[in-house]
PDB file of all heavy atoms in Angstrom:
ATOM      1  N   LYS A 370    -117.941  -6.627 -67.880  1.00  0.00           N
ATOM      2  CA  LYS A 370    -118.829  -5.838 -68.734  1.00  0.00           C
ATOM      3  C   LYS A 370    -119.260  -4.549 -68.040  1.00  0.00           C
ATOM      4  O   LYS A 370    -119.510  -3.532 -68.695  1.00  0.00           O
ATOM      5  CB  LYS A 370    -120.070  -6.657 -69.106  1.00  0.00           C
ATOM      6  CG  LYS A 370    -119.809  -7.828 -70.039  1.00  0.00           C
ATOM      7  CD  LYS A 370    -121.085  -8.630 -70.251  1.00  0.00           C
ATOM      8  CE  LYS A 370    -120.833  -9.899 -71.048  1.00  0.00           C
ATOM      9  NZ  LYS A 370    -122.077 -10.726 -71.161  1.00  0.00           N
ATOM     10  N   ALA A 371    -119.356  -4.600 -66.703  1.00  0.00           N
ATOM     11  CA  ALA A 371    -119.780  -3.428 -65.921  1.00  0.00           C
ATOM     12  C   ALA A 371    -118.613  -2.477 -65.618  1.00  0.00           C
ATOM     13  O   ALA A 371    -118.785  -1.515 -64.865  1.00  0.00           O
ATOM     14  CB  ALA A 371    -120.435  -3.871 -64.621  1.00  0.00           C
ATOM     15  N   GLY A 372    -117.446  -2.749 -66.180  1.00  0.00           N
ATOM     16  CA  GLY A 372    -116.326  -1.829 -66.032  1.00  0.00           C
ATOM     17  C   GLY A 372    -115.318  -2.179 -64.963  1.00  0.00           C
ATOM     18  O   GLY A 372    -114.416  -1.381 -64.674  1.00  0.00           O
ATOM     19  N   PHE A 373    -115.439  -3.372 -64.371  1.00  0.00           N
ATOM     20  CA  PHE A 373    -114.480  -3.791 -63.357  1.00  0.00           C
ATOM     21  C   PHE A 373    -113.297  -4.493 -64.018  1.00  0.00           C
ATOM     22  O   PHE A 373    -113.486  -5.316 -64.921  1.00  0.00           O
ATOM     23  CB  PHE A 373    -115.138  -4.740 -62.346  1.00  0.00           C
ATOM     24  CG  PHE A 373    -116.131  -4.077 -61.433  1.00  0.00           C
ATOM     25  CD1 PHE A 373    -117.442  -3.874 -61.847  1.00  0.00           C
ATOM     26  CD2 PHE A 373    -115.746  -3.649 -60.170  1.00  0.00           C
ATOM     27  CE1 PHE A 373    -118.365  -3.263 -61.013  1.00  0.00           C
ATOM     28  CE2 PHE A 373    -116.663  -3.038 -59.323  1.00  0.00           C
ATOM     29  CZ  PHE A 373    -117.970  -2.835 -59.745  1.00  0.00           C
ATOM     30  N   THR A 374    -112.096  -4.178 -63.565  1.00  0.00           N
ATOM     31  CA  THR A 374    -110.885  -4.823 -64.056  1.00  0.00           C
ATOM     32  C   THR A 374    -110.614  -6.072 -63.222  1.00  0.00           C
ATOM     33  O   THR A 374    -110.517  -5.991 -61.990  1.00  0.00           O
ATOM     34  CB  THR A 374    -109.676  -3.881 -63.956  1.00  0.00           C
ATOM     35  OG1 THR A 374    -109.916  -2.720 -64.765  1.00  0.00           O
ATOM     36  CG2 THR A 374    -108.397  -4.566 -64.419  1.00  0.00           C
ATOM     37  N   GLU A 375    -110.477  -7.209 -63.892  1.00  0.00           N
ATOM     38  CA  GLU A 375    -110.227  -8.445 -63.153  1.00  0.00           C
ATOM     39  C   GLU A 375    -108.794  -8.481 -62.632  1.00  0.00           C
ATOM     40  O   GLU A 375    -107.849  -8.116 -63.326  1.00  0.00           O
ATOM     41  CB  GLU A 375    -110.488  -9.669 -64.024  1.00  0.00           C
ATOM     42  CG  GLU A 375    -110.333 -10.978 -63.263  1.00  0.00           C
ATOM     43  CD  GLU A 375    -110.641 -12.208 -64.091  1.00  0.00           C
ATOM     44  OE1 GLU A 375    -111.120 -12.076 -65.240  1.00  0.00           O
ATOM     45  OE2 GLU A 375    -110.405 -13.323 -63.568  1.00  0.00           O
ATOM     46  N   VAL A 376    -108.655  -8.916 -61.383  1.00  0.00           N
ATOM     47  CA  VAL A 376    -107.362  -9.015 -60.720  1.00  0.00           C
ATOM     48  C   VAL A 376    -107.259 -10.412 -60.101  1.00  0.00           C
ATOM     49  O   VAL A 376    -108.242 -10.936 -59.579  1.00  0.00           O
ATOM     50  CB  VAL A 376    -107.222  -7.950 -59.612  1.00  0.00           C
ATOM     51  CG1 VAL A 376    -105.919  -8.125 -58.844  1.00  0.00           C
ATOM     52  CG2 VAL A 376    -107.311  -6.539 -60.198  1.00  0.00           C
ATOM     53  N   LEU A 377    -106.074 -11.003 -60.190  1.00  0.00           N
ATOM     54  CA  LEU A 377    -105.810 -12.250 -59.472  1.00  0.00           C
ATOM     55  C   LEU A 377    -104.805 -11.911 -58.376  1.00  0.00           C
ATOM     56  O   LEU A 377    -103.605 -11.815 -58.626  1.00  0.00           O
ATOM     57  CB  LEU A 377    -105.242 -13.318 -60.410  1.00  0.00           C
ATOM     58  CG  LEU A 377    -105.013 -14.698 -59.801  1.00  0.00           C
ATOM     59  CD1 LEU A 377    -106.327 -15.276 -59.269  1.00  0.00           C
ATOM     60  CD2 LEU A 377    -104.402 -15.652 -60.831  1.00  0.00           C
ATOM     61  N   PRO A 378    -105.281 -11.701 -57.132  1.00  0.00           N
ATOM     62  CA  PRO A 378    -104.411 -11.196 -56.062  1.00  0.00           C
ATOM     63  C   PRO A 378    -103.790 -12.323 -55.244  1.00  0.00           C
ATOM     64  O   PRO A 378    -104.157 -13.498 -55.390  1.00  0.00           O
ATOM     65  CB  PRO A 378    -105.392 -10.400 -55.203  1.00  0.00           C
ATOM     66  CG  PRO A 378    -106.657 -11.204 -55.290  1.00  0.00           C
ATOM     67  CD  PRO A 378    -106.687 -11.783 -56.696  1.00  0.00           C
ATOM     68  N   PRO A 379    -102.863 -11.984 -54.341  1.00  0.00           N
ATOM     69  CA  PRO A 379    -102.348 -12.979 -53.392  1.00  0.00           C
ATOM     70  C   PRO A 379    -103.454 -13.458 -52.461  1.00  0.00           C
ATOM     71  O   PRO A 379    -104.394 -12.721 -52.174  1.00  0.00           O
ATOM     72  CB  PRO A 379    -101.271 -12.206 -52.612  1.00  0.00           C
ATOM     73  CG  PRO A 379    -100.981 -10.992 -53.422  1.00  0.00           C
ATOM     74  CD  PRO A 379    -102.227 -10.666 -54.160  1.00  0.00           C
ATOM     75  N   TYR A 380    -103.313 -14.688 -51.998  1.00  0.00           N
ATOM     76  CA  TYR A 380    -104.276 -15.256 -51.060  1.00  0.00           C
ATOM     77  C   TYR A 380    -103.798 -15.133 -49.618  1.00  0.00           C
ATOM     78  O   TYR A 380    -104.539 -15.467 -48.686  1.00  0.00           O
ATOM     79  CB  TYR A 380    -104.550 -16.727 -51.369  1.00  0.00           C
ATOM     80  CG  TYR A 380    -105.169 -16.982 -52.725  1.00  0.00           C
ATOM     81  CD1 TYR A 380    -105.186 -18.263 -53.276  1.00  0.00           C
ATOM     82  CD2 TYR A 380    -105.744 -15.945 -53.459  1.00  0.00           C
ATOM     83  CE1 TYR A 380    -105.753 -18.507 -54.511  1.00  0.00           C
ATOM     84  CE2 TYR A 380    -106.310 -16.176 -54.698  1.00  0.00           C
ATOM     85  CZ  TYR A 380    -106.314 -17.463 -55.228  1.00  0.00           C
ATOM     86  OH  TYR A 380    -106.879 -17.694 -56.459  1.00  0.00           O
ATOM     87  N   MET A 381    -102.558 -14.693 -49.427  1.00  0.00           N
ATOM     88  CA  MET A 381    -102.023 -14.425 -48.103  1.00  0.00           C
ATOM     89  C   MET A 381    -101.556 -12.981 -48.057  1.00  0.00           C
ATOM     90  O   MET A 381    -100.981 -12.479 -49.022  1.00  0.00           O
ATOM     91  CB  MET A 381    -100.872 -15.366 -47.750  1.00  0.00           C
ATOM     92  CG  MET A 381    -101.291 -16.801 -47.581  1.00  0.00           C
ATOM     93  SD  MET A 381     -99.965 -17.845 -46.902  1.00  0.00           S
ATOM     94  CE  MET A 381     -98.766 -17.792 -48.231  1.00  0.00           C
ATOM     95  N   VAL A 382    -101.812 -12.307 -46.937  1.00  0.00           N
ATOM     96  CA  VAL A 382    -101.440 -10.896 -46.799  1.00  0.00           C
ATOM     97  C   VAL A 382    -100.774 -10.676 -45.449  1.00  0.00           C
ATOM     98  O   VAL A 382    -100.915 -11.486 -44.527  1.00  0.00           O
ATOM     99  CB  VAL A 382    -102.684  -9.972 -46.917  1.00  0.00           C
ATOM    100  CG1 VAL A 382    -103.309 -10.057 -48.302  1.00  0.00           C
ATOM    101  CG2 VAL A 382    -103.716 -10.316 -45.845  1.00  0.00           C
ATOM    102  N   ASN A 383    -100.054  -9.553 -45.335  1.00  0.00           N
ATOM    103  CA  ASN A 383     -99.382  -9.247 -44.075  1.00  0.00           C
ATOM    104  C   ASN A 383    -100.294  -8.455 -43.139  1.00  0.00           C
ATOM    105  O   ASN A 383    -101.411  -8.054 -43.518  1.00  0.00           O
ATOM    106  CB  ASN A 383     -98.059  -8.515 -44.324  1.00  0.00           C
ATOM    107  CG  ASN A 383     -98.231  -7.268 -45.184  1.00  0.00           C
ATOM    108  OD1 ASN A 383     -99.255  -6.599 -45.123  1.00  0.00           O
ATOM    109  ND2 ASN A 383     -97.220  -6.961 -45.985  1.00  0.00           N
TER     110      ASN A 383
END
Side-chain angles (χ1 to χ4, degrees):
K370 291 176 187 176
F373 289 83
T374 299
E375 184 178 353
V376 175
L377 184 60
Y380 298 165
M381 293 189 294
V382 296
N383 54 33

